């Protein structure tokens, strides 16, 4: 029986209970960092209502083709170091709303997990929508036989976000998904004019949650307009802005993922 | 002839070819049955104005805005305001309204909302959970069931404004709330976005959804629109409007831009503490922006007459 995930070494899910905390951003930057470490990476975007990934890699107008083993993922460059799959590629018009109820979403997610011909990948990163519902249940169920490395949970520092991410931790526990750690995103803003740091979305909530829940804390990523700009323009932030304030944190997260992966392989 | 959106043939009848609603009808299960709608219509008869707060995108400030809209409207003690949180997986409203830990009580006439003020009642799945770690891991049909209960079983009483906070996306919750609310008059939707294209691309889909289900769009609010450093007073665009922001999108789609609200660290703090940012930091430029938007929404509602009989 065809197993399109047979060549994938490690699967990492990026989750949050909360919307808008930077799951897609972290998924993207993690993929770029891993690529810079010489890894072959795939990103599976299972956010069916708000698919972000195609646009941040500037391939939103690409079509998806079929081959004997299933769907061919979209490569972002000639070197084929990063490949993507997202419902974004299947939409005729980008402004078309995908207004589907659960069962239809579940069917597509099963296909995305089983029918994409990823080939050989070091890492498959799965970017998810916010919540603990159909997409999450279906994705975890479909991925279970392939034993994912684990999940990264993203939060912003304030209590309102942390409150939702606590529930996501419960989801991970109940579904048997290993938690690689928590990222506290948008953690402080350094004014480019005067270097004053303002905690726009508060500070410390993610770190506190990690401590309280006994899961690893992967680090704080500050707000960085250069990062937002790079995502908007489909640029490789890791390559172009190594001196920016967010770079060290993002590189550190990638290193911890690499460490977890080597620990498991050995 | 249209078989009707609740019909089993919705979307697949011969007459459906070419109808702009076709894919929407075909995508969903058959809608609520007429008896259910009649029951909801009866229950919601006492609600004068209903406003949905939507966004395609997560984390843009829907709940923050819903909470402040409800509080802003309730500042007039003569008005009765209800705030319904239908975000089943990530219910933020209890915390933002300072009601964490509250529980729902039942009475002969149904579930009682939790009151923040005498004239401001709140309902959320958050009140049904016993621990902050409790996750609601439900598929669509179960979520729909709870949303129907919220509309049918909560004894809101006489309400001038029912504000409904939604989760991000265009899925079960959104389809269901629109279908169930077809039993009553909905003034329209307020759509929240942030300036960057990553948000706008989802918001355009949401506006598209509103058009498909014939939900009027009251207007768009651009949140997190610039940040003024408290020390040097220079402005930074943390979420840059690389494609013209909400302003350009609203021009292109011909929907009103209700206002732009800047980032203020006090907003997040107030939400975390369950306090009203409008009362805590009255002199913030963000407070002024929010108040202007609230006023425009109020004016919009006042202009539109409440239709007693709605033909389905």
């Amino acid at each position: 029986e065809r197993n399109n995930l047979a060549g994938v070494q490690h699967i990492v899910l990026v989750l949050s209970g909360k919307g808008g905390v930077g799951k897609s951003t972290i998924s993207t930057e993690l993929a770029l960092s891993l690529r810079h470490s010489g890894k072959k990476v795939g990103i599976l975007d299972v956010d069916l209502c708000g698919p972000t990934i195609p646009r941040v890699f500037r391939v939103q107008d690409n079509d998806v083709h079929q081959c004997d083993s299933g769907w061919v993922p979209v490569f972002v460059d000639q070197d084929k170091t990063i490949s993507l799959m997202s419902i974004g590629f299947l939409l005729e018009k980008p402004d078309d709303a995908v207004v589907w109820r659960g069962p239809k979403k579940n069917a597509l997610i099963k296909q995305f997990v089983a029918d994409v011909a990823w080939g050989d990948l070091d890492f498959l990163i799965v970017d998810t929508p916010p919540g603990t519902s159909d997409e999450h249940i279906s994705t975890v169920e479909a991925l279970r036989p392939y034993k994912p490395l684990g999940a990264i949970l993203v939060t912003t520092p304030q209590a309102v976000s942390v409150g939702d991410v606590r529930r996501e931790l419960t989801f991970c526990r109940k579904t048997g998904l290993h938690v690689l750690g928590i990222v506290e995103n948008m953690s402080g803003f350094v004014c480019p004019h005067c270097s004053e740091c303002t905690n726009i979305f508060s500070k410390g909530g993610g770190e506190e949650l990690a401590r309280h829940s006994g899961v690893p804390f992967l680090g704080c990523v500050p707000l960085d307009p250069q990062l937002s700009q790079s995502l908007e323009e489909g640029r490789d932030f890791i390559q172009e802005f190594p001196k920016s304030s967010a770079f060290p944190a993002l590189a550190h997260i990638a290193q911890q993922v690499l460490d977890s992966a080597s620990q498991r392989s050995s | 002839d249209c078989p009707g959106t609740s019909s089993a043939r919705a979307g697949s009848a011969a007459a459906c070819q070419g109808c702009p609603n076709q894919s929407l009808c075909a995508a969903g299960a058959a809608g609520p049955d007429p008896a259910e709608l009649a029951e909801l219509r009866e229950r919601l008869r006492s609600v004068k104005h209903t406003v949905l707060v939507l966004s395609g995108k997560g984390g843009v400030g829907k709940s923050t805005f819903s909470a402040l809209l409800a509080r802003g409207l309730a500042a007039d003690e003569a008005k009765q305001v209800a705030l319904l949180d239908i975000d089943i997986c990530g219910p933020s409203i209890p915390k933002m309204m300072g009601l964490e830990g509250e529980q729902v009580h039942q009475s002969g006439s149904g579930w009682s909302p939790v009151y923040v003020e005498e004239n401001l009642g709140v309902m959320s799945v958050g009140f049904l959970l016993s621990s902050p770690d409790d996750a609601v891991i439900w598929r669509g049909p179960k979520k729909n069931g709870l949303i129907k209960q919220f509309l049918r079983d909560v004894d809101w009483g006489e309400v001038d404004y029912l504000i409904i906070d939604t989760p991000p996306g265009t899925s079960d919750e959104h389809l269901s709330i629109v279908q169930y609310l077809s039993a009553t008059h909905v003034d329209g939707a307020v759509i929240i976005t942030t300036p960057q294209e990553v948000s706008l691309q989802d918001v355009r889909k949401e506006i598209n959804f509103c058009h498909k289900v014939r939900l009027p769009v009251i207007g768009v609010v651009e949140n997190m629109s610039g940040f003024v450093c408290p020390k040097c007073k220079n402005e930074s665009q943390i979420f840059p409007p690389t494609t013209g922001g909400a302003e350009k999108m609203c021009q292109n789609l011909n929907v009103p831009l209700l206002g732009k609200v800047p980032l203020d660290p006090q907003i997040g703090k107030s939400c975390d503490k369950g306090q009203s940012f409008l009362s805590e930091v009255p002199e913030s430029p963000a407070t002024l922006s929010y108040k202007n938007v609230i006023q425009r929404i109020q004016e919009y509602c006042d202009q539109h007459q409440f239709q007693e009989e709605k033909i389905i």
Side-chain angles (χ1 to χ4, degrees):
Chain A
E1 211 192 80
R2 180 216 317 160
N3 178 0
N4 277 320
L5 291 175
V8 176
Q9 296 302 312
H10 303 287
I11 299 172
V12 176
L13 281 80
V14 180
L15 303 173
S16 179
K18 187 88 183 66
V21 297
K23 289 176 288 311
S24 299
T25 302
I26 296 295
S27 297
T28 300
E29 302 310 322
L30 178 59
L32 292 170
S33 297
L34 291 171
R35 173 170 77 177
H36 284 291
S37 300
K39 304 297 181 190
K40 268 192 94 175
V41 186
I43 306 180
L44 174 58
D45 175 7
V46 299
D47 189 341
L48 304 182
C49 299
T52 307
I53 296 294
R55 202 176 170 280
V56 306
F57 286 97
R58 286 171 121 175
V59 291
Q60 67 270 33
D61 295 327
N62 282 39
D63 286 322
V64 164
H65 304 286
Q66 296 260 351
C67 67
D68 286 337
S69 340
W71 292 354
V72 181
V74 174
F75 292 101
V76 310
D77 57 3
Q78 301 276 38
D79 298 328
K80 298 191 172 181
T81 48
I82 296 184
S83 50
L84 314 175
M85 183 50 67
S86 165
I87 199 179
F89 299 126
L90 305 175
L91 297 173
E92 269 187 36
K93 283 177 258 166
D95 295 345
D96 273 351
V98 172
V99 188
W100 292 355
R101 288 195 184 275
K104 209 164 167 182
K105 290 198 279 188
N106 300 336
L108 185 62
I109 285 173
K110 281 204 188 102
Q111 275 198 287
F112 270 177
V113 172
D115 294 347
V116 175
W118 294 106
D120 289 327
L121 290 179
D122 295 295
F123 289 92
L124 177 62
I125 297 170
V126 183
D127 185 25
T128 63
T132 49
S133 190
D134 288 276
E135 295 90 329
H136 313 85
I137 300 169
S138 297
T139 301
V140 170
E141 273 174 9
L143 286 175
R144 189 165 284 132
Y146 307 102
K147 299 192 177 45
L149 183 63
I152 294 176
L153 270 62
V154 184
T155 185
T156 49
Q158 77 266 55
V160 163
S161 292
V162 169
D164 285 347
V165 177
R166 283 177 83 159
R167 300 186 224 275
E168 199 74 19
L169 279 169
T170 303
F171 171 83
C172 292
R173 214 178 48 243
K174 286 194 165 170
T175 54
L177 186 56
H178 173 63
V179 176
L180 291 169
I182 292 178
V183 171
E184 182 178 302
N185 202 16
M186 306 199 204
S187 191
F189 173 66
V190 176
C191 176
H193 300 103
C194 71
S195 300
E196 167 90 350
C197 182
T198 308
N199 292 325
I200 300 183
F201 301 114
S202 198
K203 180 95 178 157
E207 188 163 7
E208 164 83 38
L209 177 62
R211 198 172 32 236
H212 168 86
S213 314
V215 301
F217 181 58
L218 299 178
C220 288
V221 182
L223 276 163
D224 184 347
Q226 283 178 331
L227 177 55
S228 312
Q229 192 92 19
S230 295
L231 290 158
E232 290 281 286
E233 294 169 357
R235 298 163 74 171
D236 184 341
F237 174 80
I238 299 294
Q239 178 155 302
E240 295 182 34
F241 299 104
K243 291 203 171 63
S244 100
S245 54
F247 179 86
L250 293 168
H252 182 59
I253 293 168
Q255 190 55 53
Q256 291 177 93
V257 171
L258 285 166
D259 292 344
S260 291
S262 356
Q263 266 172 29
R264 200 207 220 178
S265 302
S266 59
Chain B
D1 282 274
C2 172
T5 53
S6 315
S7 154
R9 290 165 61 233
S12 48
C16 298
Q17 292 299 325
C19 171
N21 236 30
Q22 184 186 19
S23 50
L24 185 61
C25 289
D33 69 55
E36 277 182 348
L37 283 183
E39 202 182 349
L40 289 172
R41 193 183 315 140
E42 215 26 66
R43 180 60 107 171
L44 298 172
R45 192 178 284 280
S46 52
V47 174
K48 288 209 185 75
H49 298 287
T50 301
V51 175
L52 262 72
V53 181
L54 302 173
S55 178
K57 188 88 182 70
V60 296
K62 286 177 293 310
S63 298
T64 304
F65 183 76
S66 300
L68 293 178
L69 175 59
R71 289 191 197 266
L73 292 169
D76 177 356
E77 286 172 8
K79 299 289 184 197
Q80 196 66 28
V81 181
L83 177 57
L84 171 58
D85 175 11
I86 62 165
D87 189 340
I88 312 277
C89 298
S92 304
I93 293 291
K95 185 181 250 320
M96 290 188 179
M97 302 299 284
L99 299 174
E100 259 193 324
E102 294 285 338
Q103 303 275 288
V104 168
H105 300 285
Q106 297 233 14
S107 74
S109 42
W111 294 3
S112 302
V114 179
Y115 286 93
V116 176
E117 311 283 351
E118 259 193 58
N119 67 333
L120 175 47
V122 180
M123 183 52 64
S124 164
V125 77
F127 299 136
L128 304 174
L129 303 171
S130 36
S131 147
D133 294 319
D134 279 351
V136 180
I137 308 173
W138 291 355
R139 289 195 183 275
K142 213 164 164 184
K143 290 195 285 187
N144 300 335
L146 184 61
I147 291 171
K148 190 175 17 169
Q149 271 200 285
F150 276 162
L151 291 173
R152 187 191 62 204
D153 295 344
V154 174
D155 180 20
W156 294 107
E158 296 286 329
V159 170
D160 292 285
Y161 301 98
L162 171 61
I163 311 299
I164 303 182
D165 184 29
T166 63
T170 49
S171 190
D172 285 274
E173 297 89 330
H174 312 86
L175 275 169
S176 294
I177 196 72
V178 164
Q179 281 174 344
Y180 295 140
L181 286 180
S182 65
T184 182
H185 165 72
V186 180
D187 292 68
V190 174
I191 314 224
I192 314 289
T193 186
T194 49
Q196 75 274 47
E197 177 60 25
V198 155
S199 294
L200 298 175
Q201 69 178 6
D202 289 349
V203 168
R204 286 190 202 98
K205 293 192 219 284
E206 197 74 19
I207 294 176
N208 181 275
F209 167 80
C210 290
H211 290 327
K212 274 186 174 168
V213 300
R214 297 201 189 97
L215 181 58
V217 175
I218 301 175
V220 172
V221 178
E222 183 181 273
N223 218 3
M224 307 197 201
S225 193
F227 173 68
V228 176
C229 176
K231 187 164 177 216
C232 70
K233 309 299 180 195
N234 279 300
E235 195 183 5
S236 293
Q237 291 293 341
I238 297 181
F239 303 112
T242 55
T243 55
E247 197 160 349
K248 185 105 194 289
M249 179 190 71
C250 287
Q251 266 170 20
N252 290 346
L253 298 180
N254 198 25
V255 298
L257 177 63
L258 295 175
K260 295 185 188 184
V261 183
L263 275 163
D264 183 331
Q266 299 279 54
I267 297 174
K269 281 205 181 79
S270 303
C271 285
D272 279 358
K273 290 195 276 187
Q275 292 165 339
S276 168
F277 170 72
L278 303 177
S279 327
E280 294 294 302
V281 198
E283 69 281 359
S284 164
T287 300
L288 186 60
S289 300
Y290 275 131
K291 283 190 167 161
N292 284 340
V293 172
I294 293 171
Q295 187 168 344
R296 286 187 69 174
I297 294 170
Q298 206 161 359
E299 284 164 7
Y300 178 95
C301 290
D302 290 343
Q303 277 166 24
H304 291 74
Q305 298 285 19
F306 170 58
Q307 290 167 307
E308 187 81 26
E309 305 298 335
K310 186 152 166 70
I311 299 159
I312 297 177

